[in-house]
Amino acid sequence: MPRLTHAPDLIRVSALHGYIELIESKLVNPDALLSRVGLDRKQLSEPNNFVQYQQLIQLLEITAKELNLPYFGLELGRWQSLNILGSVGYLMGNCDTLEMALKNLTKYYHVHQNSADLLLEVGQDYVKLSFLVRNSLKISVHHGADLAMSVGVNLLKQLTDDQIKLHRLELPHSGNENPSVYRQALGQLPVFNCAHTAVVFDRKYLKIPIKNSDKQLFSILSQQLGDLKDTKRENISDHVEVLIKQYLLHEDFGVNLIAEKLSMSARSLQRHLTKHDTTFRELVDDVRCNLAHQYLTETSLSLSNISDILSFSNYSEFTRAFKRWYGIPPKDYRKSL
């Protein structure tokens, strides 16, 4: 029986939004801290880059210890808002109600990271939103839990225009010697030593309308996110396909660029893909094939424009590829529709 392989547990770099600024505000150079976990400023400069979740957790724990910041996760969370979730955050901000926003968050959270799940439990009186790390890490997640809690509280307040009153906050660690800091940062004292990081609030708040939501924008974003595969599946090719679509027109597009976005070497990426019976070239070919069909059937773009969008070097190359995919030239394919 073949050995089961697992894709790296990944999270978007946006989860570290504010890290550089926060460390520099304490008159410390963050570069040395980043290098200890194999990261650098360049990687943190693009929010759509991915890093391994263990790298993020290690960075939080090392930073807290080295700088003697026992509440570092809480501090970093103050710098973050709905925007760190990218397209998922924009979708949430254009939902009709808080309930709709949270359901979409749990549905598409895998776009932000594949190492944890969000569970929304709606009871008769209360609602519980839990953050569940799927794979156990061999290091402390104290500050990771604090960061998740701080961000979660911020998002709920932002979505409800600060109307929500939280009933209970749960953290999976024992807290620190000064738990009142949590009250100051979160608005109330959490319950420590719980099974997971979670927020509990009255069910009535689910009906709070989201201010300035745009139904047309929601429809567009829903369609875009609906096209993304669920990257919770243990298959790194899902991540690679998303990045190929995103960077296909980039001047440096290629396996090296995509590997960089995943914080690994090109050789490591190719090795992971081989374990899943595919290659980078095959994934690029699949993405181009599917996009070509979509553009031909759903848009009025010219064939030359489609060729350019799919990053072919010339129209003849696009035509040869299309005939290999569908058996006929793209011009004839469009006429047959």
Side-chain angles (χ1 to χ4, degrees):
M1 180 180 293
R3 180 170 59 90
L4 180 64
T5 58
H6 299 275
D9 291 325
L10 301 173
I11 186 168
R12 291 173 69 245
V13 163
S14 57
L16 286 170
H17 175 76
Y19 178 85
I20 298 290
E21 295 82 357
L22 177 55
I23 298 304
E24 289 182 337
S25 73
K26 299 182 182 299
L27 304 181
V28 174
N29 187 335
D31 295 326
L33 294 167
L34 290 169
S35 66
R36 287 183 60 177
V37 297
L39 298 176
D40 56 42
R41 287 176 185 254
K42 182 180 178 182
Q43 289 170 291
L44 267 62
S45 66
E46 291 192 42
N48 288 321
N49 283 356
F50 284 95
V51 297
Q52 294 189 28
Y53 186 58
Q54 178 142 334
Q55 286 178 296
L56 180 142
I57 295 299
Q58 285 178 325
L59 180 62
L60 297 180
E61 300 298 327
I62 289 173
T63 301
K65 181 178 179 180
E66 293 295 318
L67 303 186
N68 192 26
L69 299 172
Y71 310 102
F72 182 67
L74 294 178
E75 286 192 69
L76 183 58
R78 295 175 187 171
W79 289 73
Q80 302 185 2
S81 65
L82 204 59
N83 292 340
I84 69 163
L85 295 173
S87 55
V88 179
Y90 291 126
L91 178 72
M92 293 171 65
N94 285 284
C95 289
D96 288 336
T97 63
L98 177 63
E99 180 175 19
M100 188 177 179
L102 293 180
K103 285 183 176 179
N104 277 283
L105 173 61
T106 58
K107 180 178 181 180
Y108 294 116
Y109 189 67
H110 64 271
V111 176
H112 180 64
Q113 74 170 112
N114 73 336
S115 51
D117 294 316
L118 289 178
L119 177 64
L120 183 67
E121 301 172 274
V122 180
Q124 184 174 352
D125 299 313
Y126 292 100
V127 176
K128 185 174 185 178
L129 181 65
S130 302
F131 177 77
L132 312 173
V133 177
R134 296 195 300 121
N135 294 325
S136 59
L137 300 176
K138 297 179 180 179
I139 57 175
S140 169
V141 295
H142 182 118
H143 296 282
D146 283 357
L147 175 61
M149 175 62 76
S150 183
V151 172
V153 170
N154 288 347
L155 296 188
L156 288 171
K157 290 183 176 181
Q158 182 180 354
L159 286 167
T160 63
D161 199 27
D162 215 23
Q163 296 181 59
I164 194 168
K165 304 299 180 185
L166 301 176
H167 176 70
R168 175 184 168 102
L169 306 179
E170 300 179 357
L171 282 169
H173 59 70
S174 60
N176 286 293
E177 63 277 2
N178 187 11
S180 63
V181 173
Y182 286 87
R183 185 190 302 276
Q184 181 179 358
L186 303 172
Q188 64 191 81
L189 190 65
V191 178
F192 297 103
N193 298 310
C194 296
H196 305 287
T197 303
V199 178
V200 181
F201 56 90
D202 195 297
R203 182 173 177 170
K204 67 181 181 182
Y205 292 117
L206 288 177
K207 302 305 179 185
I208 292 180
I210 306 297
K211 286 189 175 181
N212 302 317
S213 61
D214 186 320
K215 289 186 177 181
Q216 184 176 11
L217 185 55
F218 171 81
S219 178
I220 294 171
L221 291 168
S222 294
Q223 184 175 0
Q224 291 177 350
L225 286 169
D227 291 337
L228 297 179
K229 296 179 180 179
D230 186 344
T231 51
K232 286 185 290 187
R233 296 186 306 163
E234 295 174 347
N235 192 339
I236 195 172
S237 63
D238 293 329
H239 284 289
V240 174
E241 285 186 14
V242 171
L243 290 171
I244 288 172
K245 291 179 181 179
Q246 185 173 348
Y247 290 100
L248 192 57
L249 284 174
H250 194 283
E251 60 181 356
D252 295 323
F253 176 76
V255 65
N256 290 327
L257 176 66
I258 301 304
E260 177 186 329
K261 301 304 176 185
L262 291 167
S263 297
M264 63 177 68
S265 68
R267 185 176 180 180
S268 294
L269 175 57
Q270 295 281 32
R271 185 169 62 250
H272 279 296
L273 293 176
T274 299
K275 290 176 181 178
H276 291 283
D277 299 320
T278 190
T279 66
F280 181 76
R281 178 176 292 183
E282 289 173 348
L283 290 177
V284 172
D285 197 57
D286 288 344
V287 168
R288 282 172 160 170
C289 174
N290 293 330
L291 289 178
H293 169 77
Q294 179 181 335
Y295 293 144
L296 283 169
T297 57
E298 299 178 11
T299 77
S300 58
L301 290 169
S302 69
L303 298 180
S304 60
N305 282 342
I306 294 175
S307 174
D308 291 339
I309 291 172
L310 296 180
S311 198
F312 284 99
S313 58
N314 54 63
Y315 179 70
S316 295
E317 183 185 2
F318 169 53
T319 299
R320 287 195 298 271
F322 197 91
K323 289 177 69 175
R324 174 167 53 82
W325 297 328
Y326 296 102
I328 58 175
K331 183 178 181 180
D332 295 340
Y333 187 86
R334 175 170 269 175
K335 286 181 179 179
S336 69
L337 297 175

